[in-house]
Amino acid sequence: ILNFAGIRVGDRMTLPGDEITNVVKRLMRQALFSQVQVELVKTAGDKAWIRFNLRTQPRISQVNYIGMKKSEREDLIKSLNLMKGNMITQNIVNRTEQIVKKYFGDKGFGKADVRVTLHEDLSAPNEMIVDIAVDKHDKVKVHKIYIDGNEVLSDRKIKNAIKKTNEKTDIWKIFSQKKFVESDYRDDLNRILDKYNEKGYRDAKIVA
């Protein structure tokens, strides 16, 4: 801890002062502690006794998955790796929300609400119960694709170039994906440009 803090017995500093503030910042940057306090215990001449009051980051005692199917829960358990006894920080909470939201977005639930909350486990000091709650809402589906400015290729050729973003009523792709997935949509935009490039239009771009 003293190495992390960058301080040792015999160092000279002004109390209070910037040196102690920097000590606190260095310890907090380690992400090991949820609380760092430095207390001046006593002084004698030019000597000072200081105490570090530290609180380690809480650990996971239990993870609850709410609002999802068993298969979805099993997939997320593998990808999140939130295990009992692991440290839990705000960065981990934020990362968890992002991963869960992307997971359901890739399944077509683009409007899914994801909420990760922590509450103390009263039976275990400094341990947290983690609740991952999801409200998936309805799947977002592609109803209609409108194409403008296509003077070289027909609408049909452009739509055929698209692999994953398909209209709900397209009978030619009856077994294809109809849900809207942002990452697939971005890939399909590039496929349209590839078609134009094949025709020699190397500067073609999608403007909106």
Side-chain angles (χ1 to χ4, degrees):
I1 290 174
L2 291 179
N3 284 335
F4 287 148
I7 189 176
R8 59 184 179 180
V9 174
D11 285 348
R12 301 191 66 83
M13 60 179 61
T14 302
L15 298 175
D18 292 339
E19 294 98 330
I20 286 296
T21 301
N22 291 332
V23 165
V24 173
K25 289 179 179 178
R26 284 193 288 269
L27 287 173
M28 290 299 292
R29 277 200 296 268
Q30 303 304 315
L32 297 172
F33 309 104
S34 61
Q35 176 180 298
V36 176
Q37 292 180 339
V38 181
E39 177 186 354
L40 179 61
V41 179
K42 67 176 182 178
T43 60
D46 65 349
K47 292 182 173 60
W49 284 255
I50 58 177
R51 176 184 292 124
F52 288 86
N53 295 319
L54 309 175
R55 181 175 181 179
T56 58
Q57 294 283 9
R59 297 189 177 273
I60 298 172
S61 69
Q62 180 181 326
V63 182
N64 299 318
Y65 296 84
I66 304 164
M68 59 191 80
K69 299 177 182 177
K70 180 181 178 183
S71 60
E72 295 167 342
R73 183 171 67 250
E74 290 173 348
D75 287 344
L76 288 172
I77 288 173
K78 292 177 183 176
S79 59
L80 294 174
N81 198 31
L82 295 176
M83 309 298 292
K84 177 180 172 62
N86 285 4
M87 192 177 293
I88 185 74
T89 66
Q90 188 57 49
N91 285 341
I92 294 174
V93 169
N94 295 342
R95 172 182 167 276
T96 298
E97 289 181 346
Q98 292 169 2
I99 291 174
V100 175
K101 193 164 185 64
K102 183 180 185 304
Y103 173 81
F104 284 102
D106 289 345
K107 286 183 166 291
F109 297 99
K111 294 184 178 179
D113 291 325
V114 178
R115 187 173 66 259
V116 179
T117 56
L118 309 178
H119 50 99
E120 292 187 20
D121 187 340
L122 299 180
S123 64
N126 206 33
E127 292 193 7
M128 292 287 183
I129 297 173
V130 182
D131 289 339
I132 303 173
V134 178
D135 186 350
K136 293 186 280 190
H137 299 293
D138 293 331
K139 281 189 175 181
V140 177
K141 296 183 179 180
V142 180
H143 176 66
K144 181 71 176 175
I145 298 174
Y146 298 94
I147 304 170
D148 184 44
N150 50 323
E151 298 175 359
V152 177
L153 300 175
S154 66
D155 284 6
R156 174 50 55 192
K157 286 186 177 180
I158 291 178
K159 290 180 181 180
N160 284 341
I162 296 172
K163 300 299 182 185
K164 293 293 184 70
T165 310
N166 302 303
E167 293 175 328
K168 183 178 178 182
T169 56
D170 195 338
I171 60 174
W172 299 103
K173 298 183 179 181
I174 190 169
F175 296 113
S176 299
Q177 166 182 299
K178 302 300 188 297
K179 64 187 178 183
F180 179 82
V181 178
E182 181 73 26
S183 57
D184 291 340
Y185 165 66
R186 295 294 171 189
D187 290 341
D188 282 333
L189 294 183
N190 289 328
R191 291 187 181 101
I192 294 173
L193 292 178
D194 288 342
K195 262 310 174 197
Y196 272 89
N197 291 340
E198 289 173 7
K199 292 287 184 179
Y201 294 90
R202 310 298 298 178
D203 296 327
K205 62 181 179 180
I206 296 172
V207 295

